[in-house]
Amino acid sequence: MKKTWKYAISGAEHTPMTAPLVLEGSLYELMEKARTYGYDALEFHTRENYDFDLDRIAALRETGKGDICTLATGRLYTQGGCCLLGDTQQSVDGAMNGMQTYIDKAAALGCDVVLGLAKGDVKPGEDRGEVMARLAGRLQVLSDYAAQRKVRILLEVINHYETNTLNTAEEIMTFFEQYGLSNCYVHLDTFHMGIEEFDPCAAIRRCGKRLGYLHIADNSRRYPGSGQFDFARILSALAEVGYDGYVSLECFPEPDRDTTARKTIEHLHDCEKRAGIQ
Ligand code: LER
Ligand code: MN
């Protein structure tokens, strides 16, 4: 079987103690570090108004010293308090404007955006069908805005302890089948799948060509290879659907950032070998 995907690693300039983010440091240093550890690119977590030095990034790319594949937007919600299903107009406008700013930055960088918690929730007493239609309408605006700029929206499937919408591959695929949203792609995460899916490989196959991004962590949300998940099986499922996006490490940096980054890439290469993936 053929390896069709690339590997990425998550990082931010400042990571809260509770965040499952591996690297911490300046963006440009992290882009280089990712490459040194053997990953193809960096997944960067930041606020929407981050000032990217595009010349410096272009130089890192041209010399093969570093790359950036995604901007994660969760801080729009966790720090900015805005989400697409917000209960005030200010929260919704903040999320729409904030996402458009992230998309503008991603367009300048030539990368994609991840949308997870900034999606929001159905509130008690609300009609779920109506709320999901409202979410689809707002996503359609963002999806069109991003498509015009050649940016894809990677919509993350997150477990039900963190959010109450789009918790499984089946749910998001049914949502896409109902509303189209052709520039939105499924973003799975092995940690969340361990909670929600009967079989993560079946979930990958259900998404097929609509799978756009994958976070990996082991069952305890520590590095792949530290726990019970079978990553050889997961990589085989990716090969089966011809997945050509990034497999990005998002886990707790325990026992430390360096060990996490090294052990993961070692384990992934070992799993590739065991699964006969070249
Ligand atoms: C973010 O990628 C994620 O997986 C969520 O658990 C964040 O809370
Ligand atoms: Mn994730």
Side-chain angles (χ1 to χ4, degrees):
M1 280 190 292
K2 212 170 137 36
K3 174 174 174 265
T4 42
W5 56 90
K6 289 181 177 175
Y7 291 119
I9 186 166
S10 59
E13 299 208 326
H14 303 284
T15 65
M17 292 278 284
T18 50
L21 296 175
V22 187
L23 301 179
E24 186 175 50
S26 91
L27 166 64
Y28 314 98
E29 178 202 331
L30 295 191
M31 286 174 69
E32 289 201 50
K33 245 189 186 168
R35 201 40 83 77
T36 311
Y37 280 124
Y39 297 82
D40 298 287
L42 176 74
E43 167 189 311
F44 191 52
H45 291 241
T46 189
R47 288 303 299 270
E48 63 280 15
N49 54 1
Y50 188 86
D51 189 16
F52 291 92
D53 183 339
L54 295 176
D55 291 335
R56 204 163 160 193
I57 291 171
L60 284 172
R61 279 182 167 146
E62 276 158 26
T63 53
K65 285 189 180 154
D67 202 355
I68 179 167
C69 60
T70 31
L71 293 183
T73 64
R75 290 177 181 201
L76 192 51
Y77 176 71
T78 56
Q79 296 177 0
C82 298
C83 64
L84 296 180
L85 292 175
D87 44 16
T88 63
Q89 197 57 42
Q90 196 186 352
S91 169
V92 176
D93 290 348
M96 292 299 282
N97 294 333
M99 282 305 298
Q100 288 177 346
T101 307
Y102 275 116
I103 291 165
D104 290 340
K105 302 262 159 133
L109 292 165
C111 73
D112 290 327
V113 295
V114 163
L115 172 57
L117 291 176
K119 157 180 60 81
D121 284 319
V122 179
K123 318 283 180 313
E126 284 184 328
D127 181 291
R128 177 168 285 270
E130 277 174 22
V131 174
M132 294 313 280
R134 204 181 313 142
L135 176 65
R138 290 172 188 162
L139 281 172
Q140 187 65 62
V141 173
L142 294 176
S143 175
D144 292 345
Y145 186 87
Q148 283 156 15
R149 289 157 183 80
K150 297 191 169 27
V151 172
R152 298 183 314 160
I153 296 178
L154 309 166
L155 192 56
E156 186 166 22
V157 177
I158 294 177
N159 78 73
H160 75 275
Y161 297 108
E162 293 189 44
T163 179
N164 65 13
T165 52
L166 307 179
N167 305 121
T168 64
E170 183 57 41
E171 203 181 333
I172 196 168
M173 286 302 289
T174 304
F175 180 68
F176 284 166
E177 282 154 11
Q178 186 172 359
Y179 293 104
L181 300 169
S182 59
N183 189 43
C184 291
Y185 288 80
V186 182
H187 168 2
L188 294 176
D189 180 322
T190 59
F191 170 70
H192 299 307
M193 285 198 281
I195 297 169
E196 298 292 341
E197 306 285 355
F198 294 114
D199 177 0
C201 297
I204 288 169
R205 285 192 292 270
R206 172 70 173 100
C207 299
K209 285 291 174 203
R210 203 68 189 265
L211 181 64
Y213 205 60
L214 177 68
H215 273 158
I216 50 166
D218 219 313
N219 60 292
S220 74
R221 214 169 200 180
R222 294 184 182 83
Y223 64 82
S226 64
Q228 300 174 20
F229 287 169
D230 185 346
F231 285 93
R233 238 188 117 233
I234 286 167
L235 295 184
S236 297
L238 293 179
E240 208 181 301
V241 300
Y243 177 65
D244 61 3
Y246 283 87
V247 172
S248 183
L249 176 61
E250 183 194 58
C251 71
F252 295 121
E254 294 171 15
D256 57 68
R257 298 183 191 284
D258 187 64
T259 308
T260 301
R262 283 182 202 288
K263 290 258 192 191
T264 297
I265 202 78
E266 248 175 58
H267 186 63
L268 291 169
H269 291 320
D270 182 51
C271 289
E272 286 169 14
K273 256 189 226 140
R274 282 193 281 125
I277 294 165
Q278 284 161 344

